[in-house]
Amino acid sequence: MPIYQYTARGANGEKSNGSLEAHTTIDAMNQLRRRGLRVERLSDEDSLPAAPEPVAESISPDEQSAFSPPEPSNAADVRLGIEELAEIAGRIASITKSQLPLLPGLRALTEGLPSRSLRRGLRALCVRLERGEPLETALQGGDVALPRYLSGLIEVGVQSGRLGEVMEWFLNHVRRQTELRRRCRASLLYPVLLLIAGASALYFGLVFIVPAIRQVYGDMAMQLPDLTVGLLAASDVARHYGLGLFAAFVSIAAGVPILLLIFGGRTLFDRSIAATPFIGTMFRCTALAGFCELLSIFVSTRLPLPQAMRLAGDGSGDADLREQFDLIAHCLELGQDEVDLFARLAQISPHLIHVFHWKDREANFTEALHAAVRIYENQARLQVTLAGMLLEPTVIVGVLGFLATFMVALFLPLLKLLNSLA
């Protein structure tokens, strides 16, 4: 059975150290709580050793590093997705609700996580906290790999004493954003698949079916209508240059985004997506909804508005918005007048002007941001609905129209022949 080393305080505040046997970390914590002890630190003998308290001020850096636990292996490879970040938020909220110390609680909850990268990320965070690093320093460590806005949320939650509430807000925010983005992508997936299927069927017909019918018409020495002649010419192009045209199309479709990323970075790429008719509105409204909700969380914790805007822009998932809101935050720090502020906001979305009219009144500003979240989410859902009502039928009619034209052009000479015989 594993042996756990602990540091705890009794009801009178007296600090005590010791060890005990337990099946799991949670079992060890329950044993200590039954003794009336408040756990400050808990680790098993197989885990990384903790740094001892300094004995004297004159300890050299080399001697201090000897007591420090080694870095966890492959810690630099930790990269967490949005759903894993939401899992972290939910775990921290659970710890706070249970009134457990943050560090032992993270250690205990890490054991049951299914994601390997998430376990490594939280263990790396625990290692830094065990060294005695402040939370804000530990969150900024390169081996933890938490996004800047999530680190900011944890920091303001700890400083305001509302960590559980802030993490629950963030968890609900991630769930709504994930659901909305999935709906946006799904609304485009079906038309794209239908176009690919239609193009594949047309190519197959031009390459394999039309040549066989051409031979039949040649043997019959028939005079072909113009529509059929055009189909035969298209078949020749597809058979001789089809692969080259397909390669050129794929190169353009993949090369344009790559060129945008190379020459303009993610900012130019997201700006180009936002400028795309219909599709850009869908994803830009989703990003603005995420920005407004994160900003409302930071504002409610009394974080200065410029810093809150930078963190919320970072969490919007849109590099173009992040850059624009960073410029607006800089204008606020310089104390520029509201005319310039509202002009910059109007370039992003005119509705933000009405929201930022209340920026000097915290309660009203938070309510306005919540209202903006609902507006932008509804606009994104409206675009998704329009995609189902307009885009999908248009693609279906277009594909069926091309296939019908193909069939008519293919069999029109036979129909004329039957009519002449009749």
Side-chain angles (χ1 to χ4, degrees), residues 291-305:
F291 167 80
C292 290
E293 185 161 18
L294 285 174
L295 184 60
S296 69
I297 298 175
F298 285 116
V299 169
S300 65
T301 57
R302 301 182 184 277
L303 193 69
L305 184 56

Side-chain angles (χ1 to χ4, degrees), residues 359-379:
K359 63 182 177 63
D360 297 325
R361 300 182 182 181
E362 179 185 321
N364 294 335
F365 189 34
T366 304
E367 292 178 2
L369 287 169
H370 289 158
V373 171
R374 293 190 293 270
I375 291 173
Y376 287 125
E377 286 182 346
N378 289 335
Q379 287 182 353

Side-chain angles (χ1 to χ4, degrees), residues 48 69-78 119-128 131 143-144:
L48 299 174
E71 293 288 339
S73 60
N74 298 328
D77 296 332
V78 177
R119 289 197 304 270
R120 291 207 310 266
L122 288 182
R123 284 170 182 166
L125 177 60
C126 291
V127 167
R128 298 181 72 91
R131 291 176 180 167
D143 52 356
V144 180

